[in-house]
Amino acid sequence: MSILHSPQILRASWSAVRRIPRASPALAHRWNSTVSATSTQRPLRVAIVGSGPAGFYTAYRILERTEAGAVVVDMFEKLPVPFGLARFGVAPDHPEVKNCQEKFEEVAESPYFNFFGNTAIGPSAFPPQTPLVHAPNQIPLSLLRRHYDAVILAYGADSDKMLSGSSFSGSTLDGVYSARQFVGWYNGHPEFQHLKPDLVSGDTAVVVGHGNVALDVARILLTDIDVLRKTDITSRAIDTLSASKIKHVKIVGRRGPAQASFTNKEVRELMTLGGVGYIPPPEEIMRPFAEGGKKLGRVAKRLLQLLERGSTLRPEEAAKTFEIEFLRSPAGFTAAAGGGEKLGAAVFDLMRLAGDPLLKETRVEPTGERVEVPCTAAFLSIGYKTHPLAGLEQSYDDRANHLLNELGKVSESIEGRDAKLYASGWIKRGPVGVIAETMYDAFETASTVIEDFETGTIGPRSATTDSPRAGWDGVRSELGGAAVSSMRIVSWGDWQKIDRVERELGKRSGKEREKIVDVETMLKTIE
């Protein structure tokens, strides 16, 4: 990703998991067990909110480090389908990054794991940036806390960071898109299928940002359509991209080459796209690299070579081109000539480095100059935003963009006998990092939960537990049989039916799967 999108990092994380002794399909094991089950002791009841990599890696570690039957994990997901960003955030041309789903499927086969899809926990303390297209079952967080020993929040980030400054304008023009929503759209996320990217009004697109998601967006716009047809990108996206008239993509960031968030590997992928040429940065941008060559490390030197040398195809010979522009901070968008609401140009403040241009931490400052870049499509990729669930506002650091926590244990002012709260993944540390970091972060949270179980802070031996925690049975009892019967809860077996249908649809088109992109069709598939 992006976030999850680096195959090199993913391979490292996947290898790390493989080094742990592999479970049987049911994860009924006793490796390094520190917590055991007895015939008279009830299991620890754990609820995990979110079924992306953070949630599944946390579940995996808890089940792998405790004896069979000592813990029961119930996972709640607001969509009918699991895997979060592994399904909806990974670039379709990076299938190897999705290998982590094999481990997640293994976890789900455990008799001590239950999946509750189409079931949201909430509500959020903040309304969504875009209206929800479907209404999943909703269970209050307070209800989970009454019936589970531990509730682990692993639901990630559901919004975009907003550009600050009252002078920023034009973000609602037709042709300006959130990169997060665009990625969700071509990956089949139901919430973003309303998006209708206009890729035919002109030949130039601007991508604002120098992170993994920004480079993913640029690569999708530039990649040959016949290459994309073989991936699990949606057929709807294929139709739109087939008609695209975008021939040139500008990837624009506010900092310099040494401070950019992308990696050499991601840049190299763009450089090696078939039929795509690269326009190098102006000489004044690259001069500090050349002058300070002896100070550069191996990675920075390789980046210099990539940015200077570029692709083997000259721009004038290429069907499509791209360039990476530096020291330009987004200031707004302007409408096309003649009025109306169509995008005409992206506006940037020119910046300069306020310090050593070769240091990663060097900041930038405005020069006072501004430039307009004509374009008909723009994609904002300036970061994701997390939000707390209602009632947890005091435990949330808005500036840090995550819940306040210590090793995954949420800091909260709520007193009483409710379940302890934990966090994993982006809601724990902020929406940064690749899948390897998410995995190790999830393992840390799992260790905290297990330690609390061992010491009696949570679970049957906890002094704050005044009655047995029944987990889902307790939730179901409190909701009432009629209410539960009316819910369209998706089980793991139901998801496997959806999975089989998607794979069969994909086989007909010569690809791994054709994702079902709307919730109602998903639910009808399992009826």
Side-chain angles (χ1 to χ4, degrees):
M1 115 255 222
S2 141
I3 43 189
L4 299 172
H5 302 171
S6 169
Q8 184 176 20
I9 296 296
L10 185 278
R11 282 193 293 272
S13 71
W14 185 238
S15 298
V17 172
R18 293 290 188 183
R19 286 195 293 270
I20 299 169
R22 284 184 58 79
S24 68
L27 274 176
H29 46 269
R30 287 175 169 77
W31 308 322
N32 304 318
S33 295
T34 57
V35 179
S36 62
T38 69
S39 59
T40 58
Q41 179 176 295
R42 70 168 178 85
L44 180 76
R45 299 285 182 175
V46 176
I48 297 180
V49 182
S51 69
F56 263 106
Y57 276 131
T58 305
Y60 168 78
R61 191 64 158 188
I62 290 174
L63 292 171
E64 182 260 336
R65 292 284 167 162
T66 55
E67 191 159 334
V71 181
V72 174
V73 175
D74 292 343
M75 180 175 285
F76 296 86
E77 165 59 50
K78 67 180 180 180
L79 289 172
V81 295
F83 304 142
L85 281 175
R87 176 180 170 99
F88 297 119
V90 175
D93 57 344
H94 284 170
E96 70 280 2
V97 181
K98 301 181 185 184
N99 288 341
C100 58
Q101 293 179 17
E102 296 175 18
K103 177 59 62 179
F104 305 159
E105 289 166 354
E106 183 181 306
V107 171
E109 293 300 319
S110 168
Y112 310 112
F113 175 92
N114 302 292
F115 178 74
F116 298 86
N118 196 39
T119 305
I121 306 300
S124 172
F126 297 88
Q129 288 180 334
T130 55
L132 295 178
V133 298
H134 89 290
N137 308 308
Q138 188 162 100
I139 296 174
L141 176 62
S142 59
L143 194 54
L144 285 193
R145 299 193 70 185
R146 282 198 292 276
H147 296 287
Y148 286 87
D149 297 294
V151 176
I152 302 171
L153 305 176
Y155 56 82
D158 60 359
S159 302
D160 297 290
K161 272 188 176 179
M162 305 302 291
L163 287 165
S164 59
S166 58
S167 62
F168 192 90
S169 62
S171 58
T172 59
L173 289 171
D174 294 338
V176 180
Y177 310 101
S178 149
R180 179 182 68 92
Q181 293 186 17
F182 183 66
V183 169
W185 169 77
Y186 65 63
N187 273 324
H189 195 299
E191 294 298 333
F192 306 122
Q193 295 311 300
H194 66 280
L195 210 64
K196 300 186 185 303
D198 178 4
L199 306 181
V200 298
S201 291
D203 63 1
T204 300
V206 168
V207 181
V208 180
H210 277 170
N212 297 358
V213 175
L215 268 64
D216 279 350
V217 169
R219 199 175 62 256
I220 293 298
L221 293 172
L222 293 166
T223 298
D224 185 280
I225 196 66
D226 289 330
V227 173
L228 292 177
R229 287 185 202 279
K230 301 172 184 176
T231 72
D232 69 355
I233 194 170
T234 67
S235 56
R236 185 175 300 180
I238 286 293
D239 291 343
T240 299
L241 291 166
S242 295
S244 173
K245 294 182 180 178
I246 299 297
K247 300 298 182 187
H248 183 62
V249 177
K250 292 175 177 282
I251 309 166
V252 187
R254 63 189 300 270
R255 300 186 296 175
Q259 296 80 39
S261 300
F262 52 65
T263 66
N264 292 358
K265 185 181 187 308
E266 291 155 355
V267 175
R268 191 181 303 112
E269 279 189 286
L270 283 171
M271 300 290 187
T272 55
L273 287 177
V276 177
Y278 164 70
I279 302 172
E283 191 271 337
E284 60 266 23
I285 293 292
M286 302 305 299
R287 186 182 304 122
F289 278 90
E291 294 175 350
K294 293 182 179 179
K295 295 168 56 179
L296 295 174
R298 181 182 60 82
V299 175
K301 285 181 179 178
R302 183 59 186 139
L303 176 61
L304 168 64
Q305 293 171 352
L306 284 170
L307 293 176
E308 284 185 330
R309 196 174 303 163
S311 63
T312 57
L313 191 63
R314 293 190 300 176
E316 57 271 21
E317 299 172 343
K320 297 180 181 179
T321 59
F322 76 97
E323 54 191 309
I324 304 175
E325 299 192 343
F326 301 93
L327 300 177
R328 298 187 174 200
S329 180
F333 300 98
T334 60
E341 292 298 312
K342 277 195 168 292
L343 172 66
V347 183
F348 295 93
D349 288 324
L350 298 184
M351 312 297 284
R352 59 174 165 248
L353 292 163
D356 190 334
L358 302 182
L359 295 180
K360 188 78 174 177
E361 62 270 20
T362 298
R363 296 184 175 275
V364 295
E365 60 186 17
T367 66
E369 298 179 76
R370 182 167 281 190
V371 63
E372 284 195 4
V373 178
C375 60
T376 54
F379 301 87
L380 284 168
S381 183
I382 57 173
Y384 287 20
K385 185 76 178 74
T386 65
H387 289 121
L389 296 181
L392 298 180
E393 293 88 337
Q394 298 303 312
S395 301
Y396 181 75
D397 187 330
D398 188 65
R399 188 179 185 86
N401 205 4
H402 60 71
L403 287 169
L404 298 169
N405 70 92
E406 183 175 350
L407 301 178
K409 187 183 295 186
V410 175
S411 307
E412 56 177 337
S413 58
I414 300 172
E415 299 293 341
R417 298 178 182 275
D418 285 340
K420 292 292 183 184
L421 274 181
Y422 302 84
S424 182
W426 284 1
I427 192 62
K428 172 187 174 184
R429 73 177 191 276
V432 294
V434 293
I435 215 169
E437 293 169 88
T438 295
M439 182 187 71
Y440 289 118
D441 172 271
F443 286 0
E444 178 184 74
T445 296
S447 295
T448 299
V449 172
I450 293 169
E451 182 179 351
D452 284 351
F453 188 16
E454 289 178 313
T455 59
T457 303
I458 59 174
R461 294 179 288 127
S462 170
T464 62
T465 302
D466 52 5
S467 61
R469 299 293 173 92
W472 174 248
D473 287 342
V475 172
R476 181 171 53 195
S477 177
E478 187 167 344
L479 286 172
V484 173
S485 297
S486 67
M487 291 180 172
R488 302 168 79 181
I489 295 173
V490 176
S491 69
W492 191 257
D494 292 333
W495 149 245
Q496 290 176 317
K497 293 177 184 177
I498 296 172
D499 182 47
R500 286 194 292 270
V501 170
E502 290 186 340
R503 290 180 182 276
E504 181 58 37
L505 291 172
K507 189 183 296 184
R508 298 173 192 172
S509 304
K511 53 200 285 191
E512 181 182 354
R513 75 170 64 238
E514 180 63 52
K515 291 176 184 172
I516 299 172
V517 299
D518 67 280
V519 169
E520 280 305 312
T521 303
M522 291 176 183
L523 296 177
K524 287 178 181 177
T525 299
I526 60 179
E527 289 178 350

